[in-house]
Amino acid sequence: MTEAYGLSIPNQLVDVCKPARCALIVYDMQVGIVPQISAGREIVVLCRRLLEAARAGGYRIFFTRHFFLPNNIAGVGQLRRAMVWQRTNKPEETKPFFLQGSPPWEIVPELAPREGEVVIDKITMSAFEGTFLNLAMRDAHLDCFIIAGIALEVGIGPTVRQGLDLNLCPVLVTDACGSKTADAREHTMATLTETGEVFAFSSAEVLSAMSPH
Amino acid sequence: MTEAYGLSIPNQLVDVCKPARCALIVYDMQVGIVPQISAGREIVVLCRRLLEAARAGGYRIFFTRHFFLPNNIAGVGQLRRAMVWQRTNKPEETKPFFLQGSPPWEIVPELAPREGEVVIDKITMSAFEGTFLNLAMRDAHLDCFIIAGIALEVGIGPTVRQGLDLNLCPVLVTDACGSKTADAREHTMATLTETGEVFAFSSAEVLSAMSPH
Amino acid sequence: MTEAYGLSIPNQLVDVCKPARCALIVYDMQVGIVPQISAGREIVVLCRRLLEAARAGGYRIFFTRHFFLPNNIAGVGQLRRAMVWQRTNKPEETKPFFLQGSPPWEIVPELAPREGEVVIDKITMSAFEGTFLNLAMRDAHLDCFIIAGIALEVGIGPTVRQGLDLNLCPVLVTDACGSKTADAREHTMATLTETGEVFAFSSAEVLSAMSPH
Amino acid sequence: MTEAYGLSIPNQLVDVCKPARCALIVYDMQVGIVPQISAGREIVVLCRRLLEAARAGGYRIFFTRHFFLPNNIAGVGQLRRAMVWQRTNKPEETKPFFLQGSPPWEIVPELAPREGEVVIDKITMSAFEGTFLNLAMRDAHLDCFIIAGIALEVGIGPTVRQGLDLNLCPVLVTDACGSKTADAREHTMATLTETGEVFAFSSAEVLSAMSPH
């Protein structure tokens, strides 16, 4: 830890992994999303370990939960995205993958949020866009986060990048973030780790840093 | 309506009340909030009429729903607010009025959202802060909103003021916005209407402007 | 000061007025704005005293500076505002009061920002909307601000209200905030102080609280 | 162009390149940045062609301009970034690359903004974070942008990703975006183009689509 200008600046993983400054974010571990990734069940197991460590350590815990707006209320960007993803030129033929309140929207039961943990509902890829996540973190004077979930290249990447722009310090738990393909994973990891600002560590390393000494 | 620089600028209520550019926002009409206002039931009835008109007219409809974070995850600002509102110097003695998922958090049954209508969960007074409301409205190219609910001086005022800063055109439905006291209502109305940028009309006038001719 | 959940919650003016948690915001004290208020020169003098105290105390200092977009790039909301303020139905006849870089846009020389102080350029009434002010404050772990300038009812009010929604603790320096009319001042003060969350004190009181003991 | 739910959804480059819905964003083409890239001068020439086409076509034009906060006002995230980029463990030894108002902060003279064009000052990588760019674009009912400048992997990538989350449709002008290394370029392009939501075209193609037929 480095002290300067009255601030405490983390420069190692152990500096970051403290409940007074760091949140755990469990990203989009929903019934409709986990099975899309071949390693989905392994990611659940690793997220569970992180959750248990965070609960034991008194960390603030946030779960993100994605949904899509119904077509009749959606706009240009959402309809365009649906057309691209679902490979059709007809917006009326696209279907929101899941709506708020539907079964695939639920967080998987193994990771069910407990009392005192907060769910962030969102319609964006970055967990910080159009949500109160940054507001809540900053109100508690948190400036770091540990993130794991699915998928690295779809939503965790943009969350980490926006987190940097919000001047937060991100810890990416590499084996606890799922990807659809090895290629997608590699490009995203290369992009995220290029400048050296993102901490990227295995769950074993992060769990060790989170445990009180 | 005035056309300039390729844009269409509303200058009368009838210009605003069109489903292609205007949303209906039903503000915090929750089980735990409506009974706090003596005119609560009247506000429910008037919101219901606005809802019916919006449904008939094909307007996009958003409901806001407030909640408080659990104390253990809350921060300085939320705890300070609770201390001020609940008149105590002991943060541990404050209680969040209602949590996400609890009965008082639900929207009153008379105004229950239907399929194709969207709920905006929030922890702020302004419905635009830390939510995806502006994102969704702008994606659908909406630039105006009709707002009603409870309470004018607590949350609707800040929503309308932030709406102006977001360059949206607000329509305040005066008799469909509840207040705790006549004084609070008067000060807030004076503040909101001072510059002439806010459309403030009775529900009779708004309903008439919303009905197709 | 109250300690709870690992956080330090301010409940008196002296708790807030510390450089480790509080910024000074000098609001829109621009060449084109100060003369619009009859008490403009007095407000300059009081802002200067606050600035000197903040410089002496090592507070972080931000100046806001408003401007208007050129008509050809402006949008519906800005053009509508100009029509309302300038009382015309013809958008092409409205004029932006001042553009970025023009003489009336400058901060008055008595309050000229020094090295190590930051100017926040904005097109909104709230200093937090569409700016990096909150981002910079939160990065320095500030959660309070002292605000003074012109005009209370136009821009300082919305800044204070949005500051509350951002979970910041605002200190309004009452005699160092200018207003166009006594009525506007009264309504805005009543609205802002209603819930008890805003600290409103005279410059004498704030200067005393800022001075090291 | 596809019409649905009262909205017009672009699905080809020519649908996007219309002044009524699209802005040109010239990204960080500053005196202190252009020479950092070996192809800097070529990027200037291509940005100039895009600017001329946008001026001729009546597009709204925005320039972004980065700066760093002085160390004494900076926070944890900015100081940490400076330490990582400048490879030092001593925050006091880091230097902001350039401050607001200094010569390297200026936009290169060949691309100097003209009257009616707007500069977006920023302290973030994404041009949408902590700025009024989205606010101004949405007020003018723009929902697409053409982007070019320096550097693709540092700031343009995050701008494009956040633009997607804001439901805007981005057009990346591939040969008019500079990179430090071929590797960085490749990873970023792979990441940005993976989902098919980003339009990536050469300047020849974009200039052709922008020219009126």
Side-chain angles (χ1 to χ4, degrees), chain A residues 60 73 76-78 130-132 139, chain B residues 60 73 76-78 130-131 139:
Chain A
R60 284 172 174 86
I73 207 167
V76 172
Q78 182 177 323
T131 73
F132 57 80
D139 196 26
Chain B
R60 283 170 175 88
I73 206 166
V76 172
Q78 182 177 324
T131 72
D139 195 26

Side-chain angles (χ1 to χ4, degrees), chain D residues 5 8 20 42-43 47 49 58 60 67 72 74 103 105 154 183 199 205 210:
Chain D
Y5 307 102
S8 153
E42 292 166 51
I43 304 296
C47 284
R49 281 192 205 142
R60 282 172 176 87
F67 69 101
N72 67 302
W105 163 84
V154 181
D183 260 15
F199 285 98
E205 291 166 305
M210 289 175 81

